[in-house]
Amino acid sequence: MRILVTNDDGIFAPGIRALAQALAPFGEVTVIAPSREQSGMSHAITVDRPLRMDKIDAIPGFENRCFMVDGTPADCVKMAVHGLGLRPDMVVSGINIGENLGTDVLYSGTVSAAIEGVLLGIPAVAVSQVGGELKHLETSAQVVAELFQNNLGLFKEGWIPADGLLNVNVPALEYPALKGIKVTRLGNQEFRNRVEARRDPRGRLYYWMTGGRELEEPSDLEVDYYAVKAGYVSITPIHFDLTYHRLIRELKPHLERGHAPAELS
Ligand code: MN
């Protein structure tokens, strides 16, 4: 199995090293990641300047299979497939430091790299460690290794469809403290946005976008936030049919018209 490993925290982040090393036993791993952090870049691509891709000795054991791109996570996946001509069987993105739950997936570079795989017809997995600080990365690495160990045959048979990805979030706990694995749906609890205004040393205002979710006690373990809050690994299958199907039926009688301009009057 050919596995493409990427991330949004950059090629020097500890999470991608842990991921590449965890996946090495399961196939031929190539690492292509941004040269600097690209968190929150979502699905941005670089079309207004040239891209550079350099082989780099950033991860022990991957000397000839590790590249950095001075672009976004989605750029990296495109470069792997259309720049280097790789034909990966899977794209695995992460291990991100910080959860990607609920609406986070819309902003996440980690998840978008996986989406780019899906758009290119390659099944994908995104892996994130809950919490903003580097903590128990080894737990996330072990969870990924076990996911592949236990399901490698199924992965090879196309068990994750080429139009789907698995969004995996691992609580920042020691491995034995994990409660288990839940297959979940994305939560839709509101993110409480906050913009902090501060002053720089010259007295000028600057702003820092921040915020978070105030979660109640875990009630529905089928929802990604609550599963991780209760100590489970959350695995949400995601696909990207963004069409609002029910509304098509509702809108058709009201909005559809023929071609002739006269009918519009
Ligand atoms: Mn990140």
Side-chain angles (χ1 to χ4, degrees), residues 182-187 219-227 236:
K182 287 281 178 195
V183 176
T184 57
R185 64 178 187 271
L186 295 176
S219 48
D220 186 353
L221 295 180
E222 310 284 299
V223 172
D224 59 357
Y225 321 123
Y226 290 127
T236 308

Side-chain angles (χ1 to χ4, degrees), residues 106-123:
L106 297 174
Y107 301 92
S108 167
T110 305
V111 176
S112 288
I115 295 168
E116 187 58 36
V118 165
L119 295 182
L120 295 172
I122 308 162

Side-chain angles (χ1 to χ4, degrees), residues 7-10 37-40 95-98 100 108-110:
N7 76 347
D8 77 356
D9 291 340
E37 181 168 352
Q38 297 284 316
S39 295
I95 297 168
N96 189 60
I97 304 305
N100 280 305
S108 167
T110 305

Side-chain angles (χ1 to χ4, degrees), residues 203-216:
R204 287 176 307 190
L205 274 174
Y206 68 95
Y207 302 91
W208 197 263
M209 291 201 293
T210 176
R213 294 186 183 86
E214 285 157 31
L215 292 182
E216 292 147 19

Side-chain angles (χ1 to χ4, degrees), residues 48-98:
D48 61 345
R49 62 172 175 83
L51 276 178
R52 306 276 174 189
M53 178 164 59
D54 295 296
K55 199 180 266 188
I56 182 166
D57 186 5
I59 301 180
F62 295 83
E63 284 72 17
N64 285 309
R65 289 171 294 136
C66 184
F67 301 82
M68 66 177 181
V69 175
D70 66 340
T72 66
D75 289 335
C76 290
V77 177
K78 283 184 193 293
M79 288 296 289
V81 173
H82 295 297
L84 285 176
L86 300 180
R87 287 284 170 268
D89 300 300
M90 283 187 88
V91 172
V92 187
S93 178
I95 297 168
N96 189 60
I97 304 305

Side-chain angles (χ1 to χ4, degrees), residues 259-265:
H259 292 293
E263 287 188 46
L264 290 172
S265 59

